[in-house]
Amino acid sequence: MRYFLYFQTLFLQLLLLSLVVVVTATGQLPMGDREIGLSISTAENERFDSTFIHALGTGASSFHLFFKWNEIETTPQTYNNAYLTAANTFFPLFHTKVSLVLVPVNAFHKEVPADLQNVTFDDTLMIRRFKQLLDYVFSQIPYVELKALTIG
C-alpha cells in the first residue's frame, strides 16, 4: 500500500509538471467559445460599477443576478425591484450577458410573498402568480441578453 501511494504521488507530480511545461511552451490558449461568468458583489465602501469594471478585467462576459421572489413581489401582486431596471440599462452598455436566478425556495425556506406561504408549489394559484412574476421580470429587462434563467 505504501508503494502504491508513493507511485500515485509521483505520477501526479509528473502530470502536473508536464502540464506546466505544455502551458509554458504554448502560452495561454485562445478563449474560443468558452465564457467566463461571475457572481459579483461589492466590498464595503465600494460601488458596483467599479467592482464590475474589475470583473471585466478577468475576461468575464456574463454575470449572475440572484433575486428571491419576495424581493420582487413585496406584497401580493405588487412588483418593484430597482435592480432589474438598473440591470436593463447597465449590462447592455457593456455587451455582457446575464444568468438570471429567480428563487421561490432557498434551501428549506419559502421565499414567496406572505400570502403564498401556506400554498403548495403545485397549486394553480402559486403557478399563476409565478407566471405573473415572470411577466413582470421580463418586462423590466427587455434589453438584457439572457444567457440562462434558473428557477430554484
Side-chain angles (χ1 to χ4, degrees):
M1 182 69 171
R2 198 165 95 195
Y3 290 111
F4 175 75
L5 290 175
Y6 171 77
F7 285 112
Q8 184 181 20
T9 303
L10 180 62
F11 174 75
L12 288 173
Q13 289 173 343
L14 289 173
L15 180 63
L16 288 174
L17 179 62
S18 67
L19 288 174
V20 169
V21 170
V22 169
V23 170
T24 304
T26 61
Q28 184 176 2
L29 297 174
M31 190 166 200
D33 292 339
R34 295 173 294 161
E35 291 188 23
I36 298 173
L38 295 177
S39 292
I40 61 173
S41 60
T42 57
E44 188 175 340
N45 300 323
E46 195 171 337
R47 294 173 32 157
F48 180 82
D49 54 351
S50 61
T51 303
F52 179 80
I53 297 301
H54 287 296
L56 285 176
T58 68
S61 59
S62 69
F63 294 87
H64 299 213
L65 292 180
F66 178 96
F67 297 105
K68 298 174 188 173
W69 181 347
N70 55 11
E71 291 175 333
I72 299 171
E73 186 179 354
T74 52
T75 59
Q77 297 183 304
T78 303
Y79 306 96
N80 186 21
N81 190 292
Y83 295 113
L84 288 169
T85 306
N88 192 53
T89 303
F90 192 81
F91 291 103
L93 285 175
F94 293 93
H95 307 288
T96 53
K97 299 174 186 171
V98 170
S99 293
L100 179 62
V101 181
L102 298 176
V103 181
V105 63
N106 193 0
F108 301 105
H109 182 69
K110 273 184 161 177
E111 301 290 356
V112 298
D115 67 311
L116 297 176
Q117 281 295 320
N118 295 321
V119 178
T120 61
F121 283 111
D122 62 350
D123 188 285
T124 56
L125 174 63
M126 181 75 76
I127 294 167
R128 182 172 44 80
R129 291 277 293 281
F130 191 76
K131 286 179 178 180
Q132 290 171 340
L133 172 79
L134 287 174
D135 287 343
Y136 170 78
V137 168
F138 288 129
S139 76
Q140 299 303 298
I141 56 170
Y143 300 113
V144 169
E145 184 178 352
L146 281 184
K147 179 170 180 60
L149 171 63
T150 303
I151 298 170

